[in-house]
Amino acid sequence: MKQFITFVRKEFYHIFRDARTMMILLLMPIIQIILFGFAITTEVKNAKIAIYDPSKDISTQRIIERLQASDYFEVTRYLSSSSELNEVFKDGKVGLVVVFSDKFNETLMHTGKAQIQLLADATDPNTATTLTNYASAIIGSYQRDLMSQTNIPFQIIPETKLLYNPQMKGAYNFVPGVLGMILMLICAMMTSISIVREKELGTMEILLVSPMKPIYIILAKAVPYFFISCVNLATVLLLSVFVLGVPIAGSLFWLIIVCLIFIVVSLSLGLLVSTITDTQLAAMLVSGVVFLMPVMLLSGMMFPTENMPIVLQWISNIIPAKWFIIIVKDIMIKGVGIGSVWKEVLILCAMALVLIIVSLKKFKIRLE
């Protein structure tokens, strides 16, 4: 029994000495329970909406007050003309626009009927459906209160219009996210493993004594994955357009340029991982924990980042896939020009530059 206890104690020492194992064992459950308990939800809260109210009468004001008072909506913009309707969606600042008809209250009181148009951004079909349902329910509650006060069968009819994806195809939503995940997995995970494999097998030293400079050896490891990712990019785009029926509404040239920038970012991440790990298993764990989970949960691929706690929204800002998915959705689905997404493109370029500098600096230190 004493020997058994000694062995158990030894195993505890092994575990406690390995900081990475301790982080996985103790930190991962905490992160997962917080993510799935508070952040990962399909419920939509504080969604940013815009109002176009040419009538500005008592009925429209009361409906707007109810929308604003709910936990679901946050009125961020008031449009002054109908010409702003398309622009406000292309800016990506709102997910829903509530459009009142002219002389709304007067029409309602005289005819007993009035219409409200609900314009939703359907690039994310689930969120668009949820927002229009919430808005319709709030408008319905105002209608019921009005009828109970006057005993007149008023009818306020919400007319829903889904922009960019009127057929509510799910492919419109998941294609940009899957594209980002494929490029991330191929570039980052595979690059990190390929270089670590050389170090683990002891063949990296053989490569380093060759006439070629170390930096070129390292870049040579990344180049094949760049071209493989380009092939994957072409394959996914062709399947998306001709099999899934997802159109490329914007510029194909700028879409490819953005994808190439994202591939460079992912390759740089893989190089960075290869500098801080010594084994393929460690590289896989780091890639899985640091890349795969955040891309799936915090990039907006599956769950809207706007509904997450503010801390997780800040964390999501450092995930390259978040900005890539936003750009691809805007160019591919909405058909906007590069001028509407220049901030996101600059963020990706800055990330690529920083990661390349850090990765090369780390490699230089290790190889000297």
Side-chain angles (χ1 to χ4, degrees), residues 20 188-205 207 218 221 225 269-284 286-287 363 366:
R20 293 171 187 165
M189 295 185 72
M190 295 300 104
T191 305
S192 65
I193 293 172
S194 68
I195 296 176
V196 170
R197 186 189 300 124
E198 299 283 359
K199 292 194 291 185
E200 193 175 19
L201 297 176
T203 52
M204 180 60 85
E205 287 78 3
L207 294 175
I218 295 164
K221 283 283 184 184
Y225 292 105
L269 277 172
L271 293 175
L272 189 59
V273 170
S274 68
T275 64
I276 60 174
T277 55
D278 297 320
T279 65
Q280 296 181 64
L281 179 61
M284 284 293 291
V286 171
S287 300
F363 269 120
R366 292 181 64 87

Side-chain angles (χ1 to χ4, degrees), residues 208-227:
L208 295 180
V209 297
S210 65
M212 190 177 291
K213 291 182 179 179
I215 184 63
Y216 292 123
I217 296 173
I218 295 164
L219 291 178
K221 283 283 184 184
V223 167
Y225 292 105
F226 178 84
F227 286 104

Side-chain angles (χ1 to χ4, degrees), residues 67-193:
L67 292 170
Q68 181 73 52
S70 72
D71 294 332
Y72 306 123
F73 300 115
E74 178 185 356
V75 180
T76 57
R77 289 190 63 174
Y78 287 90
L79 307 182
S80 56
S81 69
S82 58
S83 61
E84 297 180 45
L85 291 175
N86 287 328
E87 294 302 321
V88 74
F89 280 111
K90 288 182 178 179
D91 291 342
K93 302 297 183 185
V94 300
L96 179 76
V97 177
V98 181
V99 182
F100 293 96
S101 59
D102 195 17
K103 299 179 181 178
F104 181 85
N105 188 64
E106 184 179 336
T107 304
L108 182 64
M109 294 301 151
H110 282 84
T111 66
K113 296 181 180 179
Q115 285 191 334
I116 297 177
Q117 195 173 35
L118 303 176
L119 303 179
D121 180 356
T123 53
D124 184 343
N126 295 329
T127 301
T129 304
T130 304
L131 292 180
T132 54
N133 287 340
Y134 286 162
S136 299
I138 292 172
I139 294 167
S141 71
Y142 173 74
Q143 175 186 290
R144 288 191 295 274
D145 290 347
L146 199 61
M147 289 169 59
S148 64
Q149 293 170 10
T150 59
N151 291 324
I152 299 175
F154 289 115
Q155 285 188 327
I156 302 176
I157 305 169
E159 179 191 353
T160 301
K161 185 177 181 181
L162 302 171
L163 302 180
Y164 311 116
N165 183 15
Q167 298 175 336
M168 300 289 285
K169 289 184 176 180
Y172 281 61
N173 185 38
F174 75 73
V175 162
V178 171
L179 180 60
M181 178 172 289
I182 290 173
L183 295 180
M184 178 70 79
L185 288 177
I186 295 295
C187 297
M189 295 185 72
M190 295 300 104
T191 305
S192 65
I193 293 172

